[in-house]
Each structure stands twice: as C-alpha cells, then as structure tokens.
Amino acid sequence: MQTIDRKVSPAFKTVDKIEMIRATEIRLTNKIPVYSINAGSQDLIRIEFLFSAGMYQQKMTLQAATVNAMLEEGTSKMNAAQIADAVDYYGAFLEVGVSQDSASVVLYTLNKHLKATLPVVEDVIKNATFPQNELDTHLTNKKQKFYVNNQKVANVARKRFSELIFGENHPYGISVKEADFDAINKEHLNTFYKTFYRANSCKIIIAGKIEADVYPLLEDHFGGNDWTSDNDLKRPAVAIRSVSEKEQLVFKEDALQSAIRIGKIMFNKNHPDFQPLQVLNTAFGGYFGSRLMSNIREDKGYTYGIGSGIASLQNSGYFFISTEVGVDVCKNAVKEIYFEMDRLRNDLIPADELELVKNYLLGTFLRSVDGPFAMADRFKGIMEYGLSYDYFDKYIATIKGITASELRGLAQTYFDRDSMIELVVGKK
C-alpha cells in the first residue's frame, strides 16, 4: 500500500492536451441533424432542441422571447397545468430559453421515462397555441418587471450600450420599450412560431447516458414531414451603425451609483484574433485576479466588482467593460480603466502574471468540459459557428504559446481609447 507524505505538495502539472468525447452526428428522415455525446454513468439524458429563432430573426420587439416563453403555456392538447404535471410526474424537467441568435427547448429526464416525456416535448414544440389569458398574464408580468428594471442603472446601461454600439435599429441593438408590450399580439406570435419552430430550423443535441431506443423515439416524434417548411430563414445582413459621439451620459438625478459601460464592436469566434484576445482580456478584466479588479476594487475600493469580456455572436461580436460605482468616484473609475488599458498597450505583462493567467484559463477550460452536459455546451459553442473540434486544440495551443510581446501588440491594435464608446448611466 502506498503511503502519502502529506508534508510534500503534489507535483504541479500543466495541461498539455484535453481529451474530449466528440459529438457524433446522424440525420433524421427529414434531415434534422442529431448530435450525440454519449457519456456519464447516471441514467440521465438531456435533449436540446435548438432553433434559429433568436432575437436576430424577429421582425418586431418581444416576438422571439415571448414565443419561447409561451411554449409551455398551452397547446392544442394540453393546458399549462397539464404540461407541467405531465413532466413533473416523471421527475423530468423542461426548460426553454432564448438568446440573440437562437432559441431552445431542453428536456432533462431519466432514460426509462423518455418514452413518456418526449411526446410532451413534441406537443409543446409542434402544437403551441399561445392562449390569450396566459399571454395577457405573461405580458403584464413582464411589463411590471420592465418598470422595476428601468429604475436600475445597471439595466439601463446594458440596454443603452447595445443601442450605442450596434445602432438602435439593428437586431442586436434594439431594446424593449414600454409601448412594445401593448403592440405585440397573438397573431405576431403565431407568425414567428410557424416560421421558425420548424424542422428545417431545428438541430438536436443529446448528452448523457444514451441508450439505443433514443434514436427511434426521436425519429417517431420529430423525424416526419408534418412540421417541415420551405420558409426562407435567412435574414439579410443588417449594417452596424455605432454612434459617432464616443462619450455618452444618461443622467439620473437621484442616482447613488453610476453604471459604466465601455467597449466597441469586435468580431466573433471565426476571427483569428478572437482566441489570443481571450488571453489579453483575462489579464485585463476577465477574472478575479485581473488588473481591473486589482486596481479599481482592491486598491481603490471604487466598486464591488468590475469585469470585461469579448462576446461572440453569429453575425458580430463586441468587447465590453462593465461596473457600477458610487457617483462620487465615477470619473476616477473611468480614468483608472483607461490607465489599465494604456499599461497593456505600453508595457509587457510580467512573466509571473502571464503564467498565472495561462494556468487560470487552462484550468477553467478543463472544468468547462467536465461531464457530458458541459461537453455538449462546448460543442454547441463551435457548431453554431461552423467550427470543428480543432478550435479547442488551437485554443490550448494559443494559451500555452502566446507571448507578452504578442499580447502588447494586440492591446495596441484593439485597446485604443479613441475607438471605445463610453457610457455612464447615473452621474459623472
């Protein structure tokens, strides 16, 4: 028997290559792609139905989000309570969600109950009716939440920042207004639903302990031509029109805090600089030990939290810095943000700091592929951009191989203050 000497620290090992179970693909008879990650020891499965039905596809505000949220509120066969009971009875869970580019319906269930729960999902996806009483309640609740959120500087800043960098009429930039809740109706929902919740807009991702009967069941319930369509799902490209006035203020007389958003239009995962910029951004504001946190939270005490990120969208991408500070220190906080930007543009990141950032990124990535559901999420993140698993190999190689000099070059290219849009909501 081996004896462990607890006075000696375990040997430190670097991540050289991460082995992932790769998704396999089959096609249903109606050509819906089904991607599977067969892993895990528990008798649990997750099936995600992914539709090209995000906010980018909507022709009026609230269409995509309302359709997705209302799927569980009633079908031609069951009302909302019956849907909930049918899923809960088997200890299953049904989840819906919508983003800028896509919408999803996700089923979590034990394999032995899949035969009973999958027909419920089929009914929700194919036969939603958007009952008027449920729609009225939904919109009333959302409007009330809208009023509450509009009093919060952070929420106002998030919406206004999107308008500023994309343009107020761009699908990624349009924000919800009070009048939108009264403008949308059941007919608008049906039009969007019948266009985008169809087989030609659907992809299926399965993760967990996948048994042999899963594929015949999917074929029986979703492989037919009863929900196919020849609708053109592609929306023409919309020009991005960022504001020319770089400094923006939304004044709030009674504000005790100011929300700061600084950033610019960038690119998505398909751009060769996206991965190297992830390393630079992590050092700048992408984790708790970042320069923004060390300076503005730990040293100056201006905020409880500050961060930066690079968001990837299917038709664009953007860089952002986000924080909320007391109104009395807002100007100083903005000054320090640009100070940290300039440091990265002018000076090399010290070797020990860069090593810490690299180890953090490698460890974070390793945790992000722990388990079949996590691996499915990672796969979805490349599948939606037409990328292969080589993307992850390149990511690991980028993290391990990038130099301080290359990072400074990236900062000089992309962290130019004059290219940034600066928004303050509150007082400055």
Side-chain angles (χ1 to χ4, degrees):
M1 184 173 112
Q2 184 179 5
T3 303
I4 299 175
D5 187 349
R6 300 193 181 276
K7 295 180 180 180
V8 179
S9 301
F12 182 80
K13 295 182 179 180
T14 59
V15 177
D16 295 316
K17 185 176 177 63
I18 295 177
E19 297 294 338
M20 295 176 61
I21 297 175
R22 301 193 173 195
T24 58
E25 179 185 353
I26 67 166
R27 296 263 172 169
L28 301 183
T29 300
N30 57 11
K31 298 183 180 180
I32 293 178
V34 179
Y35 305 99
S36 304
I37 294 179
N38 193 358
S41 57
Q42 297 182 351
D43 188 34
L44 181 65
I45 191 172
R46 184 182 82 178
I47 304 179
E48 179 172 10
F49 298 84
L50 194 65
F51 297 91
S52 299
M55 287 174 274
Y56 194 86
Q57 285 77 29
Q58 66 187 7
K59 291 187 177 180
M60 68 180 299
T61 310
L62 291 176
Q63 249 185 329
T66 307
V67 166
N68 185 259
M70 290 287 296
L71 290 175
E72 299 176 273
E73 300 304 323
T75 71
S76 57
K77 300 177 181 179
M78 293 186 287
N79 59 34
Q82 290 170 326
I83 293 170
D85 288 344
V87 174
D88 291 345
Y89 179 80
Y90 294 100
F93 179 64
L94 195 59
E95 181 179 63
V96 296
V98 67
S99 68
Q100 297 281 19
D101 293 306
S102 63
S104 62
V105 178
V106 188
L107 172 68
Y108 296 83
T109 185
L110 295 175
N111 274 295
K112 64 182 180 180
H113 296 317
L114 183 61
K115 191 173 182 179
T117 55
L118 199 58
V120 180
V121 181
E122 178 188 17
D123 191 35
V124 164
I125 289 176
K126 293 183 180 180
N127 303 313
T129 56
F130 313 108
Q132 189 63 52
N133 62 322
E134 299 287 359
L135 176 59
D136 292 341
T137 300
H138 174 81
L139 291 175
T140 298
N141 292 339
K142 286 294 182 181
K143 184 187 283 190
Q144 184 60 41
K145 188 175 181 180
F146 170 83
Y147 291 142
V148 173
N149 285 338
N150 256 17
Q151 304 305 311
K152 301 174 182 177
V153 292
N155 282 278
V156 175
R158 176 180 53 80
K159 293 191 295 183
R160 183 58 181 154
F161 184 68
S162 294
E163 293 175 344
L164 294 174
I165 62 172
F166 288 109
E168 294 185 4
N169 296 316
H170 192 279
Y172 292 150
I174 294 173
S175 62
V176 177
K177 306 293 191 298
E178 181 180 351
D180 295 328
F181 295 96
D182 299 319
I184 197 163
N185 58 44
K186 187 173 177 177
E187 183 179 349
H188 299 135
L189 302 188
N190 275 316
T191 299
F192 188 86
Y193 169 67
K194 291 177 181 178
T195 301
F196 293 102
Y197 283 82
R198 290 293 177 263
N200 58 318
S201 175
C202 181
K203 297 179 177 68
I204 301 174
I205 304 174
I206 315 173
K209 189 177 180 181
I210 302 174
E211 297 184 350
D213 64 342
V214 170
Y215 302 108
L217 285 170
L218 284 173
E219 178 64 41
D220 288 344
H221 292 286
F222 296 96
N225 292 321
D226 57 315
W227 67 309
T228 57
S229 169
D230 57 2
N231 292 325
D232 183 8
L233 303 178
K234 292 183 179 179
R235 178 168 182 168
V238 182
I240 294 173
R241 304 189 185 280
S242 300
V243 293
S244 56
E245 184 64 42
K246 299 297 185 183
E247 293 189 22
Q248 298 278 330
L249 173 65
V250 177
F251 183 74
K252 297 281 189 180
E253 177 64 40
D254 58 347
L256 300 177
Q257 280 195 318
S258 291
I260 301 170
R261 298 293 184 275
I262 297 173
K264 60 190 285 189
I265 289 295
M266 288 284 237
F267 35 71
N268 64 21
K269 292 179 181 179
N270 285 293
H271 194 282
D273 283 344
F274 185 84
Q275 292 183 343
L277 271 170
Q278 293 290 342
V279 183
L280 178 64
N281 175 71
T282 301
F284 178 60
Y287 78 123
F288 194 80
S290 69
R291 292 188 172 192
L292 288 180
M293 284 290 283
S294 297
N295 181 342
I296 296 171
R297 173 192 157 108
E298 300 299 325
D299 183 38
K300 304 297 189 304
Y302 291 159
T303 184
Y304 285 112
I306 183 171
S308 62
I310 306 166
S312 179
L313 303 169
Q314 287 185 19
N315 296 283
S316 187
Y318 62 96
F319 169 71
F320 66 92
I321 302 160
S322 172
T323 190
E324 286 78 52
V325 301
V327 294
D328 56 325
V329 297
C330 183
K331 285 186 178 179
N332 289 336
V334 171
K335 178 182 177 182
E336 293 300 325
I337 289 171
Y338 289 125
F339 170 76
E340 293 299 343
M341 266 192 200
D342 289 339
R343 283 181 64 204
L344 289 169
R345 288 169 55 85
N346 297 324
D347 304 327
L348 295 175
I349 298 175
D352 58 343
E353 181 185 355
L354 182 54
E355 189 67 17
L356 180 63
V357 167
K358 290 183 175 185
N359 288 334
Y360 169 80
L361 284 169
L362 291 170
T364 300
F365 183 79
L366 190 61
R367 289 192 298 274
S368 75
V369 293
D370 183 15
F373 297 168
M375 284 188 279
D377 290 337
R378 277 291 185 178
F379 167 71
K380 183 171 69 172
I382 57 173
M383 180 267 293
E384 291 182 309
Y385 293 89
L387 297 165
S388 70
Y389 276 95
D390 290 344
Y391 179 85
F392 298 130
D393 296 331
K394 292 176 183 176
Y395 181 57
I396 299 299
T398 297
I399 293 171
K400 292 174 69 67
I402 198 164
T403 66
S405 179
E406 289 171 328
L407 290 172
R408 182 172 64 180
L410 286 168
Q412 290 170 350
T413 300
Y414 296 109
F415 283 8
D416 176 16
R417 176 173 181 167
D418 292 339
S419 68
M420 299 289 171
I421 294 172
E422 174 191 315
L423 169 66
V424 172
V425 178
K427 297 177 184 177
K428 184 177 179 181

